[in-house]
Amino acid sequence: MGIIKTIQQKLMAGEFSCTELTRAYLDAMERDNGSLNAYVRATPEDALAAAAQVDQKLSVKEALLPLEGVPMTLKDNLCTKGIETTCCSNILKGYVPIYNATVWDILQKQGAVLLGKTNMDEFAMGSSSETSCFGGSLNPHDLSRVAGGSSGGVASAVGGNLAAYGLGSDTGGSIRQPASFCGVTGLKPTYGAVSRFGLVAYASSLDQIGPIAPSAEDCAAVYDVISQYDPMDSTSKGALGPASPHLEDGLRGVRIGVPEEYYDGVRPEVLSALENAMAVYRSLGAEIVPFSLPELKYALPVYYILACAEAASNLGRYDGIRYGYRTEHYNGVHDMVCRTRSEGFGKEVQRRILLGNYVLSSGYYDAYYKKAQGLRGAIVKGFHQAFGKCDIMLAPTVPMTAFPLNFTGADPVETYLTDICTVPVNIAGLPALSTPCGCDQDGLPIGMQLIGNTFCENTILAAAHQYEKAAGQYRRTKWGVSL
Ligand code: GLN
């Protein structure tokens, strides 16, 4: 059974009160966050106030809403009214939003208990959470490894049992990659399924919000609550229907596509874990269908061109005038903006703004931005055709397991290359998840990626759930709360 159901059953059985549970998480955070650096801000008062309300309900035996009373966390790029939201950037330190992200509004009404805000790469740009101005989050399976990124804090908190689940954002893999590194499950929904209102924008045509949790069942429970149409986000559609009722849908005859390009250059241990997963699926009655998806070779350059272009435009708003950091000494407004941005943004963010403005500049627009947009169309079409041959796809989440600290080193392109398996679905707007499928010889978790057709979250969540039941590879770490 998933952690969300377990907690709710224990609350209803009176095994502990919501206040006791919340205090246990807050105490564990105090004890273990110094090691994991998953949280950048705890919100004990809000958490205990929410818990008290849940206890009130329990005392009169009122039924709980889905997710009610379950302690959780939010990535620090989701706006929380009255609670500082920094995107782990110096430029937003001290910024306290005056409104909630829609997802947090929904969860708050649902009686969610927010334990705190979690660490991330600065403005969600990175794959290790080390570009955070608070320093990186560490991997609960091995403190000499990163938790991944950019939602590294959420994955470290969930893998370290410092939250039952969390919400992250995924522009090019930021939910799936840290979930894979930390041995938990993470879902990036279809573009438009979850409202992005109140998510600080990185690359608006690629960003999606989604859950990270110990199991697919938990991810389905969270997804079902947050995937609502929202008039505040013009790209919002909501889900076609809930995924949870479909978790047990049989896999007999389901065609699982294996696009060979995803497997190029993948480490042998990752490859053999995926081959084992294929055998499990065969034993569950699914059919494995290998094919080629040649457009995938364009995905990485297309992603880095489009993401940087959109980031350059989105981050234009941090000018030291409207909110956030402003430099102390300056000579006129131009100098103020220039100094504010140079001092407030970290190196990686500055690099992406420069790259983005370069590909958008008049002399290079046709050669880079326009060409990337054209190739995006080809990738979308390639996936569309591939879904004529299969119902879901199976691929590695990352070609390797969690990097050692400071792997990013001097050459950022080395790190960009590791996003090769996660960026394609963001380009095509498709849903995808990562779930643990084994570990390497150092005991580090390996993740497998399941990709679905648009708005078919139910098919990939069912496939992940049934794999987890048949061959579950989730391993509890020594940290945090044990229920
Ligand atoms: N690692 C990718 C990047 O740096 C993806 C980040 C994300 O999904 N936010 O852009």
Side-chain angles (χ1 to χ4, degrees), residues 63 86 115 117 169 186 202 237-238 254-255 264 289 297 322 363 458 461 474:
T86 67
L115 297 164
K117 305 287 293 283
S169 65
Y202 164 13
K237 287 204 173 97
V254 168
R255 296 165 304 166
D264 277 353
V289 186
K297 65 173 173 290
R322 285 169 282 193
N458 55 341
L461 285 163
Y474 170 78

mmCIF file of all heavy atoms in Angstrom, residues 63 86 115 117 169 186 202 237-238 254-255 264 289 297 322 363 458 461 474:
data_model
loop_
_atom_site.group_PDB
_atom_site.id
_atom_site.type_symbol
_atom_site.label_atom_id
_atom_site.label_comp_id
_atom_site.label_asym_id
_atom_site.label_seq_id
_atom_site.Cartn_x
_atom_site.Cartn_y
_atom_site.Cartn_z
ATOM 1 N N ALA A 63 -14.922 12.112 7.589
ATOM 2 C CA ALA A 63 -14.035 11.423 6.638
ATOM 3 C C ALA A 63 -12.975 12.393 6.115
ATOM 4 O O ALA A 63 -13.224 13.595 6.000
ATOM 5 C CB ALA A 63 -14.850 10.881 5.479
ATOM 6 N N THR A 86 12.210 31.347 -3.205
ATOM 7 C CA THR A 86 13.442 31.943 -3.742
ATOM 8 C C THR A 86 13.958 31.316 -5.033
ATOM 9 O O THR A 86 14.885 31.863 -5.638
ATOM 10 C CB THR A 86 14.599 31.811 -2.725
ATOM 11 O OG1 THR A 86 14.916 30.414 -2.589
ATOM 12 C CG2 THR A 86 14.235 32.390 -1.373
ATOM 13 N N LEU A 115 5.397 20.869 5.195
ATOM 14 C CA LEU A 115 6.490 20.847 6.171
ATOM 15 C C LEU A 115 7.539 21.905 5.881
ATOM 16 O O LEU A 115 8.239 22.358 6.781
ATOM 17 C CB LEU A 115 7.162 19.471 6.144
ATOM 18 C CG LEU A 115 6.287 18.293 6.557
ATOM 19 C CD1 LEU A 115 6.928 16.984 6.128
ATOM 20 C CD2 LEU A 115 6.050 18.308 8.063
ATOM 21 N N LYS A 117 9.807 24.177 2.320
ATOM 22 C CA LYS A 117 10.127 24.302 0.897
ATOM 23 C C LYS A 117 11.465 23.618 0.641
ATOM 24 O O LYS A 117 12.378 23.694 1.468
ATOM 25 C CB LYS A 117 10.209 25.781 0.504
ATOM 26 C CG LYS A 117 8.974 26.603 0.826
ATOM 27 C CD LYS A 117 7.784 26.340 -0.073
ATOM 28 C CE LYS A 117 7.925 26.747 -1.525
ATOM 29 N NZ LYS A 117 7.776 28.185 -1.773
ATOM 30 N N SER A 169 8.958 20.369 -10.310
ATOM 31 C CA SER A 169 8.645 20.790 -11.677
ATOM 32 C C SER A 169 9.632 20.106 -12.609
ATOM 33 O O SER A 169 10.741 19.748 -12.195
ATOM 34 C CB SER A 169 8.739 22.303 -11.814
ATOM 35 O OG SER A 169 10.067 22.723 -11.605
ATOM 36 N N GLY A 186 8.615 9.375 -9.706
ATOM 37 C CA GLY A 186 8.284 10.765 -10.038
ATOM 38 C C GLY A 186 7.534 10.827 -11.354
ATOM 39 O O GLY A 186 7.900 10.144 -12.309
ATOM 40 N N TYR A 202 10.586 28.818 -15.956
ATOM 41 C CA TYR A 202 11.928 28.594 -16.528
ATOM 42 C C TYR A 202 11.745 28.639 -18.040
ATOM 43 O O TYR A 202 12.107 29.623 -18.684
ATOM 44 C CB TYR A 202 12.471 27.271 -15.995
ATOM 45 C CG TYR A 202 13.645 26.654 -16.723
ATOM 46 C CD1 TYR A 202 14.384 27.352 -17.667
ATOM 47 C CD2 TYR A 202 14.029 25.342 -16.434
ATOM 48 C CE1 TYR A 202 15.464 26.756 -18.314
ATOM 49 C CE2 TYR A 202 15.108 24.747 -17.075
ATOM 50 C CZ TYR A 202 15.812 25.449 -18.025
ATOM 51 O OH TYR A 202 16.872 24.852 -18.658
ATOM 52 N N LYS A 237 -5.518 22.405 -19.264
ATOM 53 C CA LYS A 237 -6.644 21.607 -19.769
ATOM 54 C C LYS A 237 -7.233 20.732 -18.668
ATOM 55 O O LYS A 237 -8.398 20.398 -18.700
ATOM 56 C CB LYS A 237 -6.156 20.685 -20.890
ATOM 57 C CG LYS A 237 -5.857 21.402 -22.207
ATOM 58 C CD LYS A 237 -5.957 20.406 -23.358
ATOM 59 C CE LYS A 237 -5.835 21.050 -24.724
ATOM 60 N NZ LYS A 237 -4.459 20.951 -25.242
ATOM 61 N N GLY A 238 -6.421 20.322 -17.716
ATOM 62 C CA GLY A 238 -6.870 19.360 -16.705
ATOM 63 C C GLY A 238 -6.716 17.950 -17.254
ATOM 64 O O GLY A 238 -6.328 17.757 -18.406
ATOM 65 N N VAL A 254 -0.784 -5.398 -23.731
ATOM 66 C CA VAL A 254 -0.290 -4.011 -23.839
ATOM 67 C C VAL A 254 1.060 -4.038 -24.562
ATOM 68 O O VAL A 254 1.930 -4.855 -24.261
ATOM 69 C CB VAL A 254 -0.165 -3.368 -22.431
ATOM 70 C CG1 VAL A 254 0.612 -2.064 -22.490
ATOM 71 C CG2 VAL A 254 -1.554 -3.138 -21.832
ATOM 72 N N ARG A 255 1.198 -3.150 -25.553
ATOM 73 C CA ARG A 255 2.445 -3.119 -26.336
ATOM 74 C C ARG A 255 3.398 -2.095 -25.722
ATOM 75 O O ARG A 255 3.091 -0.905 -25.682
ATOM 76 C CB ARG A 255 2.142 -2.755 -27.795
ATOM 77 C CG ARG A 255 1.283 -3.796 -28.528
ATOM 78 C CD ARG A 255 0.733 -3.209 -29.821
ATOM 79 N NE ARG A 255 -0.018 -1.988 -29.567
ATOM 80 C CZ ARG A 255 -0.389 -1.106 -30.499
ATOM 81 N NH1 ARG A 255 -0.065 -1.311 -31.762
ATOM 82 N NH2 ARG A 255 -1.068 -0.028 -30.191
ATOM 83 N N ASP A 264 21.297 4.072 -26.490
ATOM 84 C CA ASP A 264 22.664 4.360 -26.943
ATOM 85 C C ASP A 264 23.495 4.915 -25.789
ATOM 86 O O ASP A 264 23.083 5.882 -25.154
ATOM 87 C CB ASP A 264 22.648 5.439 -28.035
ATOM 88 C CG ASP A 264 22.357 4.854 -29.402
ATOM 89 O OD1 ASP A 264 22.315 3.613 -29.498
ATOM 90 O OD2 ASP A 264 22.169 5.646 -30.339
ATOM 91 N N VAL A 289 7.981 -4.316 -27.896
ATOM 92 C CA VAL A 289 8.054 -3.984 -29.329
ATOM 93 C C VAL A 289 9.246 -3.052 -29.593
ATOM 94 O O VAL A 289 9.157 -1.850 -29.359
ATOM 95 C CB VAL A 289 6.751 -3.264 -29.779
ATOM 96 C CG1 VAL A 289 6.742 -3.038 -31.273
ATOM 97 C CG2 VAL A 289 5.509 -4.008 -29.323
ATOM 98 N N LYS A 297 17.539 11.877 -31.966
ATOM 99 C CA LYS A 297 18.902 12.409 -31.955
ATOM 100 C C LYS A 297 18.928 13.942 -31.938
ATOM 101 O O LYS A 297 19.935 14.541 -31.578
ATOM 102 C CB LYS A 297 19.734 11.846 -33.101
ATOM 103 C CG LYS A 297 19.288 12.229 -34.485
ATOM 104 C CD LYS A 297 20.335 11.726 -35.513
ATOM 105 C CE LYS A 297 19.900 11.917 -36.949
ATOM 106 N NZ LYS A 297 18.792 11.034 -37.359
ATOM 107 N N ARG A 322 11.347 45.506 -9.605
ATOM 108 C CA ARG A 322 10.035 45.025 -9.156
ATOM 109 C C ARG A 322 10.079 44.154 -7.916
ATOM 110 O O ARG A 322 9.283 44.291 -7.028
ATOM 111 C CB ARG A 322 9.322 44.313 -10.300
ATOM 112 C CG ARG A 322 8.811 45.346 -11.298
ATOM 113 C CD ARG A 322 8.346 44.702 -12.551
ATOM 114 N NE ARG A 322 9.468 44.332 -13.408
ATOM 115 C CZ ARG A 322 9.317 43.967 -14.670
ATOM 116 N NH1 ARG A 322 8.124 43.896 -15.196
ATOM 117 N NH2 ARG A 322 10.372 43.677 -15.399
ATOM 118 N N GLY A 363 20.803 37.938 -36.013
ATOM 119 C CA GLY A 363 21.710 37.242 -36.924
ATOM 120 C C GLY A 363 21.666 35.721 -36.796
ATOM 121 O O GLY A 363 22.081 35.003 -37.708
ATOM 122 N N ASN A 458 -2.866 7.486 -16.945
ATOM 123 C CA ASN A 458 -3.369 6.248 -16.329
ATOM 124 C C ASN A 458 -2.615 5.019 -16.822
ATOM 125 O O ASN A 458 -2.336 4.115 -16.044
ATOM 126 C CB ASN A 458 -4.884 6.115 -16.544
ATOM 127 C CG ASN A 458 -5.270 6.204 -18.006
ATOM 128 O OD1 ASN A 458 -4.499 6.708 -18.823
ATOM 129 N ND2 ASN A 458 -6.439 5.715 -18.356
ATOM 130 N N LEU A 461 0.977 4.986 -15.183
ATOM 131 C CA LEU A 461 0.887 4.779 -13.736
ATOM 132 C C LEU A 461 0.480 3.334 -13.430
ATOM 133 O O LEU A 461 1.013 2.714 -12.501
ATOM 134 C CB LEU A 461 -0.103 5.772 -13.118
ATOM 135 C CG LEU A 461 0.437 7.212 -12.998
ATOM 136 C CD1 LEU A 461 -0.688 8.210 -12.770
ATOM 137 C CD2 LEU A 461 1.475 7.326 -11.877
ATOM 138 N N TYR A 474 11.809 -0.435 -4.665
ATOM 139 C CA TYR A 474 11.949 0.675 -3.724
ATOM 140 C C TYR A 474 12.675 0.179 -2.485
ATOM 141 O O TYR A 474 12.361 -0.868 -1.941
ATOM 142 C CB TYR A 474 10.554 1.213 -3.359
ATOM 143 C CG TYR A 474 10.567 2.202 -2.215
ATOM 144 C CD1 TYR A 474 10.972 3.523 -2.422
ATOM 145 C CD2 TYR A 474 10.194 1.818 -0.930
ATOM 146 C CE1 TYR A 474 10.999 4.433 -1.374
ATOM 147 C CE2 TYR A 474 10.215 2.727 0.127
ATOM 148 C CZ TYR A 474 10.623 4.022 -0.102
ATOM 149 O OH TYR A 474 10.654 4.915 0.935
#
